[in-house]
Amino acid sequence: MSRALRLLAVETGMVLREKLTWAVLATLFAALLLGAHMGAARVDAERAALAGAAAEEARAVATARETFARYAQPTPAKINAWQDPTNAFGYMTQFLTVHAVKPPSPLAALATGQSDVQPALVRVSFGSSTVFDDVAYELGSAVRLKLGAFDFAFVLAVLVPLAVIALAGTRLSAEGDSGTLRLIAAQPIGPRAVAGAKFGAVAGILVAAILAQAGFALWATGAIRSVAGTTTTLALLAGTLAAYILLWVAACALVATLWRGAVAALSILVLAWTLFTVVVPAAASLAADLLTDKPSRIAAIDASRQVQDDFANGSAGPRLTAQWLNRIPGAAERADLVEAPEIKRLARDAHYDAELDAHRESFRTYDRQIAALSRWLALASPVTTFDFALQGAAGTDAGRHAAFLASAAAYRRTLRAFFEPRIVAQALNPVPVCGGCQARLDFDAYDAVPRFQPTLDLDTGHDASLRALAWLTAVGVGLALPAWVRLRIWPA
């Protein structure tokens, strides 16, 4: 054991004296700093967008209150419903300014995930109807597309393996090319001790250096402002990163046991990196499309058009409006309400939602299925396994976004349930207004309008990190064992 430790110490010193070691670590550190900075900038942009949405909501409420005070004065000007925020129906359809928001998680800067193409802000309104949950994004969020895919997760998942290959890819192989391996084999020492010292030295240096660099980069750029509630996840991610590094070191050791020389070893390792970074993820994406039945958006749009046409043309509209009124006490006897614009709109939207709910649910089911399937397919590559763990910890994965869209749809139903009884009550018993006032003045409960309550499940990141740690450890051991077996004796 003492001789093995001495070998490890000697090899560690040799690796640290190599200029290549410091060049690789310096390049990787610069990339980590840049990736963390870009992640922090993206999160800051998200927070700014959410703050802007909150300010917009506050301004809308203040404007409505000012308008209420102004409209409460007699005026000869005619005020239509679409100009009247003092009317519950007019406010709901024309002036309501609320958003469903997906705030960044404490670890959001780790990975861009779905957030580069799916904004964290949805304007919820009733000005028009749609069969889709994902068409009401704030266009301003699209500016984040300029950040591209280079982020902290990209550096760790894609570039770290290249750093490992650069430092460990030619261990033993280079000695074979130079003839040094024969001199080593002539000594009273086995190949396992030599390989253990060489690859152990690189593994120890890389694990310690990359973990330290990653932590410093996140701290120096302010990418992680608070670790409250995330310490366990961060610890698991650190273990997962270490397992990921050791996996690639084990791959280098296994390739070295082929005894094909340094050029061949590097070629095999780079090809493996290309396979698991590009080919396997692309194949997994194709498999996800083939294994899931994606609903047709064209069919949903056509169904939406048909439902609206059926209500607007012929006798379906009045009949469905009368049926909708029958569920409201005291409304069945009011034949005049069938032609009231606000009642027709509420009945139409209720009919629309009921008829198209199956289409909406099919898209939500597809989103859940594709997110679950992607998590399993990601296990085909250590790169995607680690990247998905980072996305899960960051809260930028597809599963969280699907849940966000579902909660935004539920919030829309909550708003409808808030406004509908007020609109119906005004239609049944119009509230008298001041003499000469043209506005309805029946709605001023602006602060009572329900607010969206965002949720964040921190356990999701914990579970994703734990799964990745277990799987990467298993794969790393699976690579190390055959290398250990093949290193039983020196090659002939």
Side-chain angles (χ1 to χ4, degrees):
M1 178 62 71
S2 60
R3 184 167 62 176
L5 291 177
R6 287 199 300 272
L7 280 173
L8 179 62
V10 170
E11 191 65 32
T12 299
M14 292 175 61
V15 173
L16 289 175
R17 286 193 294 272
E18 293 178 3
K19 293 181 179 180
L20 178 63
T21 300
W22 295 103
V24 168
L25 291 179
T27 303
L28 191 61
F29 184 43
L32 285 169
L33 284 172
L34 180 59
H37 169 72
M38 295 185 73
R42 175 181 56 80
V43 173
D44 288 342
E46 286 185 3
R47 292 195 174 103
L50 298 184
E56 183 184 0
E57 293 176 6
R59 286 194 301 270
V61 170
T63 300
R65 290 191 181 282
E66 294 172 0
T67 305
F68 191 100
R70 187 169 70 253
Y71 282 6
Q73 305 299 322
T75 176
K78 180 177 176 55
I79 300 175
N80 298 302
W82 60 86
Q83 300 171 310
D84 188 4
T86 72
N87 171 236
F89 179 69
Y91 186 77
M92 183 187 81
T93 56
Q94 303 296 328
F95 298 93
L96 179 66
T97 304
V98 291
H99 300 83
V101 297
K102 185 180 63 175
S105 74
L107 304 180
L110 291 178
T112 300
Q114 297 291 318
S115 296
D116 58 343
V117 292
Q118 295 176 326
L121 185 64
V122 172
R123 172 76 176 268
V124 181
S125 68
F126 297 89
S128 60
S129 299
T130 176
V131 68
F132 306 115
D133 294 332
D134 58 352
V135 296
Y137 293 135
E138 289 294 293
L139 295 179
S141 299
V143 300
R144 290 173 300 181
L145 286 170
K146 68 179 183 292
L147 294 177
F150 189 89
D151 61 356
F152 199 74
F154 177 85
V155 177
L156 292 180
V158 177
L159 300 187
V160 162
L162 291 177
V164 176
I165 292 171
L167 295 183
T170 59
R171 300 290 159 181
L172 286 183
S173 301
E175 280 83 351
D177 290 345
S178 64
T180 308
L181 192 62
R182 291 187 179 186
L183 296 176
I184 297 175
Q187 306 303 314
I189 187 172
R192 288 176 176 172
V194 175
K198 288 185 174 294
F199 291 106
V202 175
I205 291 170
L206 285 175
V207 168
I210 293 175
L211 284 175
Q213 289 179 347
F216 182 82
L218 293 173
W219 170 79
T221 59
I224 295 181
R225 300 181 180 181
S226 172
V227 296
T230 63
T231 51
T232 301
T233 300
L234 283 173
L236 287 172
L237 282 177
T240 304
L241 177 56
Y244 187 61
I245 296 169
L246 294 176
L247 181 153
W248 284 98
V249 173
C252 293
L254 180 59
V255 171
T257 63
L258 300 177
W259 310 109
R260 300 295 184 184
V263 174
L266 285 177
S267 299
I268 293 171
L269 289 168
V270 171
L271 285 174
W273 174 85
T274 304
L275 175 69
F276 290 117
T277 303
V278 180
V279 179
V280 173
S285 178
L286 180 61
D289 289 336
L290 294 175
L291 294 173
T292 53
D293 186 14
K294 186 174 183 178
S296 170
R297 294 180 76 91
I298 297 299
I301 293 171
D302 184 65
S304 171
R305 177 194 59 78
Q306 186 63 48
V307 170
Q308 295 194 60
D309 285 349
D310 290 344
F311 189 92
N313 301 317
S315 60
R319 176 175 55 81
L320 292 170
T321 302
Q323 291 177 358
W324 185 84
L325 280 170
N326 286 338
R327 66 186 182 86
I328 300 173
E333 298 80 14
R334 295 284 301 277
D336 59 304
L337 291 180
V338 174
E339 296 301 323
E342 60 269 36
I343 298 300
K344 290 174 64 177
R345 175 61 183 274
L346 292 177
R348 190 207 74 176
D349 287 353
H351 173 68
Y352 185 88
D353 288 344
E355 290 295 313
L356 298 175
D357 187 62
H359 286 279
R360 291 194 181 94
E361 189 56 37
S362 68
F363 284 101
R364 294 167 190 159
T365 300
Y366 171 76
D367 287 340
R368 291 192 295 268
Q369 289 177 344
I370 201 71
L373 181 60
S374 297
R375 285 195 295 270
W376 283 105
L377 291 176
L379 299 178
S381 166
V383 177
T384 51
T385 298
F386 185 49
D387 186 57
F388 268 57
L390 291 171
Q391 289 186 32
T396 59
D397 55 303
R400 187 192 176 199
H401 192 78
F404 166 64
L405 289 179
S407 62
Y411 176 54
R412 196 172 191 272
R413 293 192 294 271
T414 300
L415 289 171
R416 184 184 296 280
F418 173 82
F419 282 103
E420 187 174 286
R422 289 168 169 81
I423 295 170
V424 172
Q426 169 65 15
L428 287 172
N429 300 294
V431 177
V433 299
C434 66
C437 294
Q438 300 296 321
R440 286 288 187 89
L441 300 176
D442 65 286
F443 181 77
D444 63 352
Y446 306 114
D447 290 332
V449 175
R451 311 285 295 179
F452 182 79
Q453 300 299 324
T455 58
L456 176 61
D457 186 6
L458 295 178
D459 290 337
T460 301
H462 175 277
D463 295 342
S465 302
L466 186 59
R467 285 194 301 269
L469 174 59
W471 180 245
L472 292 175
T473 301
V475 174
V477 172
L479 293 173
L481 284 178
W484 179 258
V485 172
R486 292 178 60 84
L487 286 167
R488 187 178 69 258
I489 58 175
W490 290 109

